[in-house]
Amino acid sequence: MANSIWLMIYVMIISFFIFEYSIPFIKFRWKRLLMLPFIFVFYIFMFSFGFYWWRNIGVSLHIYFAFTEYKSTRDALSNFFPRGLFSAIVIGIIKYSYDFRVLKETAQKLRIEKQEAELNYLKSQTNPHFLFNTLNNIYSLARDNDPLASESILRLSKILRFMLYQTNVDFIAIEQELKIMEDYISLEKLRYDESLIINFNHSIEDIKQEIPPLLLIPFVENAFKHGVSETRNNPFVDIHLSVQNHLLLFIVKNSTEKSPSHENSRENIGLSNLRRQLELLYKDYEVNVFQGEFDFTATLKINLKSHV
């Protein structure tokens, strides 16, 4: 054991200089490749004569025990050189395997941090955008001295409370998302008369199932801002949410007077951000929009178990 430890110390020292200095010195520098033969000869010497001399130093210090007497230096070198070279190769494999694993973990960590930063940026865009549209609704009521303006402010305060204290987490229960959606729909209804028809139904297996906060709101917001508000006759919004066996299906259909022959369906900031958030959050999802002659339908399907 003492002999092995003594020789391994030498191998570790030489391997350190090989992998930390020599290889990085010549790598990716073609001019330094000219020194490769000299470096190669030097380490051949170190793993042959150097190894043998290190052994003799250990013998003289009574650290290494010479159980074998070699007839000549050549016999000694033929024994020590393969052992030293093999040990250095094993150390190199271990080192580069470890470095590769560390590099992979670092890259994974950086990827996650980048995704989190992008998600936070998307949320910082979506939330003010959502709030801006809500304030516009209240402004239209206040401008007309509508008594419902005070009620709309009260409902807005609930939404703001939710945005301040509940959207800074990664996930919330679906029941919380339903509540904020109901508050938003109630706030929007204050702007319209009885001609607006809203159907909101849901079938949820587990209301405690978690989803990212404000994930569904952009569809509803889009239905009111770009659909109902621009419909003169028979405005309507149909909203259906279903969550069964971790499969989420969200369908929002609204009236519109835009025809495909006049204008292609466009996505606002909310829907564009939603697509990117889904891309970062889930592996299995589907977003479809369909512009009909007098209606617009947005469909969202998510396998909630496919979270990244």
Side-chain angles (χ1 to χ4, degrees):
M1 183 180 294
N3 289 357
S4 298
I5 292 175
W6 180 249
L7 295 178
M8 185 54 65
I9 291 173
Y10 181 81
V11 173
M12 293 292 291
I13 293 173
I14 299 301
S15 299
F16 174 79
F17 281 97
I18 292 175
F19 299 116
E20 294 297 329
Y21 292 100
S22 298
I23 293 179
F25 177 76
I26 62 175
K27 187 167 56 177
F28 304 126
R29 294 171 175 85
W30 67 270
K31 291 184 179 180
R32 296 181 181 179
L33 288 176
L34 299 175
M35 300 184 64
L36 182 60
F38 300 97
I39 295 176
F40 180 76
V41 171
F42 172 76
Y43 282 112
I44 291 293
F45 177 84
M46 295 304 294
F47 278 114
S48 55
F49 288 95
F51 211 177
Y52 181 58
W53 289 340
W54 180 261
R55 177 254 192 192
N56 292 337
I57 292 173
V59 172
S60 64
L61 296 175
H62 304 290
I63 297 174
Y64 187 93
F65 301 92
F67 296 110
T68 303
E69 293 294 336
Y70 297 101
K71 296 179 180 180
S72 63
T73 303
R74 181 177 180 180
D75 291 339
L77 295 180
S78 64
N79 178 58
F80 283 102
F81 178 73
R83 293 166 58 186
L85 187 61
F86 176 77
S87 300
I89 293 173
V90 171
I91 292 174
I93 293 174
I94 295 174
K95 178 188 183 301
Y96 283 110
S97 298
Y98 174 78
D99 289 347
F100 176 77
R101 180 177 178 181
V102 171
L103 181 63
K104 186 176 181 180
E105 291 177 352
T106 303
Q108 177 72 4
K109 183 179 179 181
L110 290 175
R111 185 181 67 83
I112 293 174
E113 290 177 352
K114 179 179 180 294
Q115 288 183 349
E116 289 178 349
E118 186 173 358
L119 278 172
N120 290 332
Y121 172 72
L122 292 172
K123 287 181 180 180
S124 69
Q125 278 191 314
T126 302
N127 292 356
H129 182 262
F130 169 71
L131 177 60
F132 175 76
N133 290 336
T134 306
L135 288 173
N136 273 345
N137 297 342
I138 296 177
Y139 170 75
S140 63
L141 294 174
R143 185 182 59 183
D144 298 335
N145 294 321
D146 196 314
L148 295 176
S150 58
E151 183 180 349
S152 64
I153 293 175
L154 178 61
R155 293 186 181 276
L156 176 60
S157 67
K158 294 181 180 180
I159 296 175
L160 285 175
R161 188 179 299 111
F162 175 84
M163 292 174 63
L164 286 173
Y165 300 108
Q166 311 247 333
T167 60
N168 58 347
V169 296
D170 294 332
F171 296 95
I172 60 172
I174 290 182
E175 62 178 339
Q176 293 178 278
E177 185 82 359
L178 284 176
K179 183 65 174 63
I180 195 65
M181 200 183 306
E182 290 171 352
D183 288 338
Y184 180 75
I185 292 173
S186 299
L187 183 60
E188 286 284 357
K189 286 172 65 176
L190 297 176
R191 299 177 54 201
Y192 302 94
D193 55 27
E194 298 298 327
S195 62
L196 173 61
I197 300 176
I198 299 178
N199 295 316
F200 182 25
N201 61 83
H202 51 80
S203 174
I204 302 175
E205 186 177 53
D206 179 13
I207 60 173
K208 299 298 183 181
Q209 172 77 54
E210 294 185 331
I211 60 173
L214 298 179
L215 183 69
L216 307 179
I217 282 293
F219 282 108
V220 181
E221 180 187 7
N222 190 68
F224 281 99
K225 182 179 180 182
H226 300 286
V228 172
S229 63
E230 300 176 359
T231 303
R232 299 178 183 178
N233 300 316
N234 303 320
F236 71 88
V237 177
D238 291 334
I239 304 172
H240 172 71
L241 174 62
S242 171
V243 182
Q244 303 291 333
N245 296 323
H246 302 285
L247 296 177
L248 182 147
L249 175 63
F250 189 53
I251 303 174
V252 179
K253 184 177 181 179
N254 59 268
S255 57
T256 178
E257 294 189 356
K258 296 180 179 180
S259 173
S261 59
H262 294 90
E263 183 176 354
N264 295 328
S265 58
R266 295 178 299 178
E267 293 188 356
N268 57 20
I269 293 177
L271 290 183
S272 298
N273 284 356
L274 174 63
R275 285 185 182 275
R276 182 54 183 158
Q277 289 185 54
L278 289 170
E279 183 179 341
L280 294 172
L281 291 170
Y282 295 100
K283 295 180 180 179
D284 185 8
Y285 71 92
E286 184 179 346
V287 180
N288 293 311
V289 294
F290 174 74
Q291 176 74 64
E293 186 175 0
F294 297 107
D295 58 63
F296 182 86
T297 304
T299 304
L300 170 64
K301 298 178 182 179
I302 305 177
N303 179 0
L304 298 177
K305 296 178 70 175
S306 67
H307 187 269
V308 177

